[in-house]
Each structure stands twice: as structure tokens, then as C-alpha cells.
Amino acid sequence: LRLCWPKLWRLNSSRPRAAMTMLRFCLCLLVAQQSSAINSTECNGSRTSTCAPNLIQQRSSMFRSNLGSLAVNCAFGSHCEVPSGETWLLDSSVYFETLTIRGTLEWDVSQDNLELRAGYVLVESGGHLKIGTQENPMNRKATVYITKNSNVHDQLGKRFLGGLGSGLIDIHGRKLERTWTLLTITGFPGANELQLKDDPNAMGWRVGDRIGVATTHQGESTMHTITSLGPYKVTVDPPLKHEHWGGFREIEGHRFEMAAEIVNLERSVTITGDHDDFEQTLEGLHTIMTGSGYMDMRYARVEWCGQRPIMGRYCLHFHLMKVCPRCVFQGNAVVEGQHVGITIHGTHQSLVDQNVVWDARANGLYTEDGNEMDNTLSRNVMICTDYRKCKVDWVSGLATQTAGIFLIGMSNNIVENRIIHYENGIWTPGSFRGDGRGAATGKVCPQFHPFGEWRGNVCHDNARFGLYLDNQYPRNLERDADGYVVNNRNSCKWFTADGRDNGVVNEVRDEFNWHNVFVGQYAIGDIQFINYTSINNGHAMYWKQGKNFVDGRLWHMLDSTFAHDPNDNYGVLQVLGPSGPFTFGMKNCKFLGSGPPGIATVAAGQNCGQGGGAGPCNVHYLFENVDFSRMRSNQKFIKFGAHTGGGQAAVQSMFVSKDSSLGGYRSVISGHLNGFQQAPAGCVQLGWEWENALGCDRLVRRFNVWGPDSGQIKLSGNGYQVAENWAFPVEGRNAGFLSYDGYHGSYGAGVLVGESYALSGNFHSDMIVEFSDTELGTYFGASESIQLDVGGQSCELKSSDDRSFICPMGRDGGIWSACPLTIFERHSVIRGGRLECGDPTATRPPVPAPTPSPTPTPIPTPMPSPTPTPVLPEGSCSSFDVWPDVDAVTCTGCTALVLTGPYAGRCDTYCESFGHVCVAAGEEEAENCQVKYTVGCDEEVASTSDMLCTCRLPEATTESPSTTPSSEACAPFSTWPNVDSVTCDSCTALVLTSSYSGRCDLYCESFGHVCVAAAEEEDESCDVKFRVNCDEDVSEAGGATSDMLCTCHLPLSSTATSTTSMTSSSTTSTTSQSTESTTGLQPSFEPVDGGEG
């Protein structure tokens, strides 16, 4: 007190605000001094945290209501509470065990370098934390420091800043006009001056700010400090370690902005905390808002955050906020996160804009449950300094199930975000999380939720996929205000009740992808790419399954550019396209540049006719103004089939056009169909750039037969009046012998428009016959038709015929009852061996009234064994920690209880998803290993959320002596891409590393296989120098190398269908087991993704 009053007098004349703070402090000391004698027995010299506040509360209530200083009202080290109805001011640095706010706590924005330390900061209902406002932001330095102590909240856990109920949190730091920009001139190693696209002063950047520089070469992104500012430039320390591209790169007269992102990681408000054991415990602080209030956080830095072992403990987190337009994360920097940078969970209409996420493990941005909708995720930048750092196992998935933006909630606006060097860029694993998660489980169908606005995103230098819109089929869903699908989720199905296509079209605009291994998806429908640009990706577009647009539009790829810079040694210029009974349209698409030759510029029918691919393979590729003229590489323009062990795609795919895109021909078909060279077709042989195909002036269209397997059937008519060729891949198809596609339940072929055909076979069940596509007839100006005779009865089949209930994926259409064969009067049907013509005027099926929940399926006779048989010996499968979607129960004999949703209730699909084969399948008793009943591996375990699957590695054998391994486990080496002249026993080859980041899992996956083993070779031979895991970069383990030994196997479904055809072709593969002196590779399996193959 002797020192207090003189200091107060001096401050009063020079610094009035500081004098007020000192006055409060002096008064508190006075009260405490006067009360000391009275309370000596109460405190008794105690140093507990409750003594001082008790004294103040007892003796100074007259001061508290007027002064309201947090430092005055709560003692150092106490459990501080801001009472309801009161407003306190944080005007000096404080430290508490915990801080709970039920009234209002305002940060003094006029003071610099204030710090609040606490084990947690909680804003309860009625409370409001204000660290600046939009009108009056905290422009000076402010720090919230979350300490590591023993305090745990029963709902929000430990070490957090968060809110509950109607609590409100406003955190507004100094605004930056831009949080990131681009490099305009390439920076080289040793350079310390960076030329920027935007002026740093205008952006609000300052000397001393830490900035990040993104990789442009699938390398390291680095952090630097600004030492000086100039017009459109900054000087940094330390200098650059690597080359970083800036500005534009020119390819064949076209300029593309392939430039490093420069992100500002500094903010005036910092939320940080103890992190001495951050890498050991995988835990830091977390922030969260849940309830009916809001969190509005702008221009703050959150660092050392996320608690990876614990569900829901993320760096920034909106948790079950429902409709919350005042929930905002804008302009923040998330730096060093152990568990997801930003999570939107059960929240709608929030804004996540202009945030920078730097090294957030698992995912940069995450929509969690599947019901999230109408949120805007815009202009955010997600950078992982090395994808291996962020590719980690997390509570909701494995390391391979990670991305810069990971969306389970699909119906959000995804606009102008940038993702750099994550495992995947933007991933929509709808089928992988097919039943939703958390509170949304069983209430959503993420695979079918439509997108919001999707525009202008950039993915580059990601280790696997850039843009990855996998297995998305947007539909007209009936949803409530919380995003849940109502009416028993009936609107998730392929068709409306009366058989109409239930899809809805989404447009993906202005996407730019470069330096990724893959871009695209396994399967999507009703999604159109407009102004898509691909530069130097390993696959310019990767696609297996598709469908016609529900609204009749034609163009799946519109106004798009595919280019390869010959001065850049990364990537291959190849579009591996989808197949199936539909028309795949490309309009105003150009191909530029040169590079290593791929499979072909456009290859139709990737993985067609096998698991994960579409079928039958008689897809139409419709070209309009598709320009190959500026291709400089020695590469085919088109190819029939890609990465498939079967022969369908090589024979049945077809290209059609009405302009000069196909050299002036109306149709281009496989050269194997030699019967089409005869009149009336009169097709002519084309050159090698067209894969020696046949160019036809006549219109060739698809013809399909849907229904059960009727063995081999025969199509007779023009184009098929030649001797049959039984060699692979033709297998009699040139003479009209059609084999059944068992995955999709159909037969397929090509026919000439306007001609007559006859179909013969042993038809023992009803079969639907279908011709061409309505869209093609409209495009070419007339309703196209053929005349078909079956059993002496003839019908005219038209392109305009009704397609109700006919699904492009057949019975392999996925979950939600797949695509069951449904026949009604408008279909032309083979019945009793004769053709019955459809009635186009027939009444559509009535829409049924809502029905109660289905009755339980009758229980077959239970098996006595507690697990599916046969039992597998130890080592027959990978460890359970790599099995996806295990429902908490594992059993002996390579058996686990797994979720049905992502796998259509089929164990063969499940086992195949992570490189295994199915041995047995069944339903369990009461969530345990006891078998209730068994089904075949390829049968659906219906009306249940989980199933018992027994899975083995492809090489493993069961204890049954009658079981033998397949004689062929992979496709012929002639179909393997980028082989470096050396092939070995047991499905192993020496392959180039450049397009696959040195990883054999990415190489094998690129042509529909799974990786079994990976290694570096000795002296360009089959001898192993050292082994690595399938998902490891060979060059990282042993230094730079241009090739690697990869062992690749077909999934079970592919192996079964391709064995016969492969034995008839010439290959260098043998069935002998490899030894240590040859490959000697050890299996290494890891789930790859939510798709198959």
C-alpha cells in the first residue's frame, strides 16, 4: 500500500486508463488488509485458490458491481466465474485454473499483450465472451493460453475454449484484406525475395509475420518470417530451400497459373497452449461451440490444437449447432493440428471462409455426420508440409482415409478452396460412409446428397487424388430442416415409386488440378464438369461408372482442357473414362502438349465388366469439338478398354460424333468387329492413332438385354455375319456371341440404326430388351430404331422407349435395394422365349402408400459353428487394425463384424475393398461372433446394419484340402502401364515411379488391382534390394530411383472373370511362387478408399 498510492497519483496525470486499473488494485489490497485479522482463523496462512476471492466477495461487493475487472474479481489461480447478468473487463493478464462465463467478459481492446491463461475457458448459457467485435476488432496482440492441468468438463472434456447452450463467443482479430496470395515469379533455392500477386501492405501483412510457401513439386512446404515489405514483394528469413513456381506456365499457346500459395500464419489474437508433449500424446487444446448460441471467430490464430485420440476434439469445431447463420470461421490460421483443422458437425448455414490450415493431421476441413447442409466453405487454403505428416490414423478412419477437405455432409457450397500436398485433395466418400455417422446414422444417405454450389477449387501436389468425387449420385431427397432424410429414406433410391429416375444434376465448375496422381472418381452420376482443367496429373481424369443425365443434357465434360507440359517430368496425359449402358459426352474439350505416353488420350471403359467397373461395356462416347490437333506426344487418341482383365470393353465400346472430332466419321468402333466392314455398314480401317479401329458413316448404337443369366446368347444381323473369332479379347463377339455380365445382370452389343436383328438363346426367365439412348436420338435429329426378332415375334425398339426402372448399373447399383429388375407394360420383354412388344401408352405403376417397417426376414437354420466356415489359419489375413468399418467385434479365423452400408450388404465387396477375398458371410447373434445364419459371399445380408465377414489374403488358403488358390491373380502384363521392360513371376513387374509418387499402391490401383508387395530392385532385375510397404515411397526409403518392383493382384471378382481369358493370351506371367532370390516380396495391405478395384 505504501507503494500503491504514489504510483496511482503519478499515473492519474499521464495515463488515466492505467490509473483506473491501479485504483482497483489498491482498493482490493485495502479491503484484504482490513479483513486479514478477522479472517486469520479462516485462512490460517492457507495458499488455497479460494481464500482471496472469498475475502473480496465478503468485504468488497460495493466495489465489484461498479468496477467489473476480471483481475480484481477473481484471484490468481482460482476457478473463476463471471456471474450471470454482470459485465466484466479483461484489462490485465490473468491466470486461472478454469474460467466459466455466465455473464459477459469483454477484452480491453486498447491494451497490448494481454494474456488469459486457464485450463479451460467455458461460456455457458447466457454468457458472452468478446475479444473484439467486427466494428471494433482486437488489433493489438492478445493471447488465450490453454494450460495443461487436471480440470475436465463433463461435456467438453479438457483443455478447451468453448461454449454451451445459448452461450456466445465473439473473437475478432485485426482484419487482413487477404490471408493468402500467389507467387508471381518462380523462387529458387537461396532466394529471400518473393514477388507476390497482391501487395502485402494492402493485404495488411507486416514485418515479423510468419508466412508459409506451398510446394509446387510434391515436396516440402516451408515457413518463413517477413523481414521487409515492398510493393508486391516481401523479403523473408530463412531463404527458400526449394524451387517454388510463380506466375503462369505456357503450353501450346495457353497460359495456366501454376503458382505457389503464400499464406500468412500470423494473427493479432492467438489461441495457444502447452505443447511440450504434443507429438507424444497427440493432444493439444481444442475449440468448440455447441447449443443454440454461436461462435464467430475471425482473424485469430489457433495453434497446437486437436486431440487425435478423442472423438470431437478438433482445432475449430461447430458441434450440432443446427441452423446457425451466425456461426463463422473467417480469416483464421490453424497451425499444427493433431486432429482436423476445421469441423462442421450437425450445423447448417455457417460460413468458413479465407482460413489457412497448416499441418492439420487427418483432414484440413471436415463435414462430419452427413446431414450438414447450406454451409459455405470458400477461399480456404489447406497445406500439409509433407503428406506423410498429415496422413495419420484418426478416430473416424485410417491414414488412407484422409484429405484436405473430407466431406460426409455433401450439400454445402465448396468455392475457390485450395488444397496442397494432402493424401487426397477434396474427397466425398459418400458410399464409404453410406449410412451417415454419429447423430445422423440411419437418417441420411451421403452418397446421394446433392452438392451446393461447387466452383473454382484448386488441388495440386496431392499424394493420391486431387479432386475425388467418389461414388456420388445426387438425388431429389426429401429432407427436414436438420438435413435428415424423411419417409424411411425412400428418396435415397435410384427411382421414384413409379420408376422415374430420381437423380438431380449438379455442376462442378472451374476446377483446376495439377501434379496429383489421380483426379476424378470411381463412380458418379448426374454430375457435370464445366471448364475443368487438368495439367500434368498422373491421370487427367479417372472414372469407371456413370449414367445419362436425368434432365437430358449430354455433356459430362464441357469446355474443358487437358494438358501436359513437356518441360515438367510429372504426370501422364490420359483420360481413363467410364463405361456402362449410357452416353458419355465430351464437348469443346482440347488436349495440349506432350509427355510420356499413357494408355491413350481417351480410353473408354476403365475396369469395365468387373468389380468396381460398369457393364455391359457398350458405352457411347459422344464427341463434339474434341480437339486432338495440339497433341505432340506419340500417343493414341482413343482406346477401347483400360485396366480390365475381360474382353468386353476392347470390343463393345464405341465413339460417336456428328462433326469432325472423329475424323469425320459418325461412329468409330473396335477393329475386332470385322463384320462391320461388310455392306451395309461399310466401315473402314483407321490408323494407329485411332487404335486401328473401324470408322463408319453409319450410326452404331448400343443394344442391351437385362435379366438373369441365360448362358451365351446369339445376336444375328448386319455386322455379325462373319466367322467367329474365339481368341481373347474377342471371344466370339465379332459374330454376335454375347456373354453374360454377371456383375450387372445384362448382355450388351452394338447394332446399326435402322437394321433388323434376331436374338436367340435359352431364355428361361423374363428379360428386358433396350436400344440406344433417348438423348442420342434427340441430338442426331430423329428417334432411332431397330427391328428385333426373338422366337418368331418382332418388335421395333426405339431410342425414345421408356427406361423406367432400368438402372445403368444393373443389379450392382449399390445400396438402397441396388437396381432390382422391375418389368412393366412399357418395356419390350422376352417372355417364354418370345418377344412381347412394350405399350408406350400403358399406365405407369401407381405410387404405393407408405408402408410400415418391413417384417423381419425369416431366420434360416442356424449353423452350429460360432463363426463362418471354413476356418482360416493364422496369417491368412491382414491384422484387424487395417480392416475398414469394423463394428467393434472381431473373431477368430479372420472374421469380423462389419458395417453393411458401404458394401451393399455383401461380404465379397467388403473383403475386396481392402485387397482380400471373401471366404464366408453371415448374420450374427446379438452383436457377437455367434452365427445366426449364413449367405453366399455375393449375396446381400439384408435388413441389418452389420454382417459377419471372413476375409483372406489372395494367397492364403483355407484348411479345407479341396481349396486351391487361383491360377492367375492378375491381368496380363501387356495391360500393365509404365512397365520398365522387366516382368517377374507372381504378378510382379519393374515399373516407373514418376507418375505414382514412388508408391506401388497407387501404381496397382491405377489399373484396377491391389498392391500386395513393393520393393527396390537390384540392377534392373527381379532381385530385391530392399522392401517397403505398399503405401511408402520407394525413393524415400533408399534414395532417388526411377523404377520399383510392384506386385499387383486383381480383386477376387476380377480374378474369377479374367482367368479363362488370360490363359488364352500370351503373357510372361507364371503361377510359380516367388522366392527370395527373385521377388520374395511380403504382402502389405492397406484399405485404399471407399470404391472398389
Side-chain angles (χ1 to χ4, degrees), residues 633-655:
S633 57
N634 188 27
Q635 178 169 300
K636 298 174 184 177
F637 295 155
I638 62 171
K639 181 175 175 59
F640 299 87
H643 300 161
T644 177
Q648 278 195 63
V651 180
Q652 294 179 346
S653 305
M654 60 196 84
F655 295 81

Side-chain angles (χ1 to χ4, degrees), residues 428-443:
T428 61
S431 64
F432 196 47
R433 300 286 191 262
D435 213 32
R437 296 187 65 82
T441 300
K443 302 176 183 178

Side-chain angles (χ1 to χ4, degrees), residues 120-155:
Y120 65 69
V121 177
L122 171 64
V123 182
E124 292 190 343
S125 286
H128 195 172
L129 171 63
K130 295 182 181 180
I131 306 178
T133 63
Q134 272 192 274
E135 298 75 20
N136 190 21
M138 183 64 210
N139 291 323
R140 295 172 173 80
K141 185 172 178 58
T143 303
V144 178
Y145 193 102
I146 305 299
T147 59
K148 182 174 58 179
N149 58 30
S150 60
N151 296 289
V152 178
H153 186 267
D154 60 354
Q155 290 180 257

Side-chain angles (χ1 to χ4, degrees), residues 214-405:
T215 181
T216 54
H217 295 80
Q218 286 219 340
E220 181 188 16
S221 299
T222 52
M223 191 182 296
H224 310 264
T225 300
I226 296 176
T227 57
S228 67
L229 303 172
Y232 295 93
K233 65 181 180 181
V234 294
T235 304
V236 299
D237 183 64
L240 297 180
K241 292 171 60 178
H242 314 287
E243 180 182 348
H244 298 266
W245 286 350
F248 290 79
R249 302 181 75 80
E250 185 169 313
I251 306 172
E252 292 295 319
H254 293 70
R255 299 175 74 239
F256 304 96
E257 192 169 25
M258 302 169 67
E261 291 80 6
I262 312 296
V263 297
N264 192 306
L265 302 174
E266 210 69 50
R267 302 293 186 270
S268 61
V269 176
T270 301
I271 303 170
T272 187
D274 295 330
H275 55 274
D276 56 296
D277 57 357
F278 187 68
E279 297 296 344
Q280 292 72 43
T281 64
L282 310 183
E283 294 185 10
L285 64 95
H286 73 99
T287 72
I288 183 171
M289 186 70 219
T290 183
S292 59
Y294 69 78
M295 178 185 285
D296 186 343
M297 185 186 299
R298 309 186 195 216
Y299 305 102
R301 171 181 166 116
V302 182
E303 62 183 14
W304 309 113
C305 51
Q307 298 168 8
R308 204 189 319 160
I310 307 172
M311 180 72 77
R313 304 298 183 243
Y314 312 119
C315 293
L316 294 175
H317 184 191
F318 293 140
H319 178 76
L320 302 179
M321 296 296 293
K322 297 186 182 296
V323 177
C324 188
R326 297 193 67 182
C327 289
V328 178
F329 292 138
Q330 186 176 55
N332 303 294
V334 178
V335 182
E336 289 293 346
Q338 281 290 0
H339 193 196
V340 185
I342 302 172
T343 296
I344 312 302
H345 180 197
T347 300
H348 322 296
Q349 299 183 23
S350 71
L351 175 65
V352 180
D353 178 62
Q354 298 184 74
N355 301 284
V356 172
V357 176
W358 183 271
D359 274 347
R361 278 67 156 186
N363 304 305
L365 200 160
Y366 177 36
T367 58
E368 185 166 353
D369 275 359
N371 64 314
E372 297 82 13
M373 60 183 185
D374 300 326
N375 301 287
T376 296
L377 317 178
S378 56
R379 299 181 292 174
N380 304 286
V381 179
M382 317 289 166
I383 299 176
C384 188
T385 55
D386 187 318
Y387 79 91
R388 301 167 189 82
K389 183 174 183 178
C390 302
K391 180 188 175 183
V392 296
D393 292 340
W394 55 303
V395 295
S396 294
L398 300 176
T400 50
Q401 298 157 5
T402 55
I405 298 181

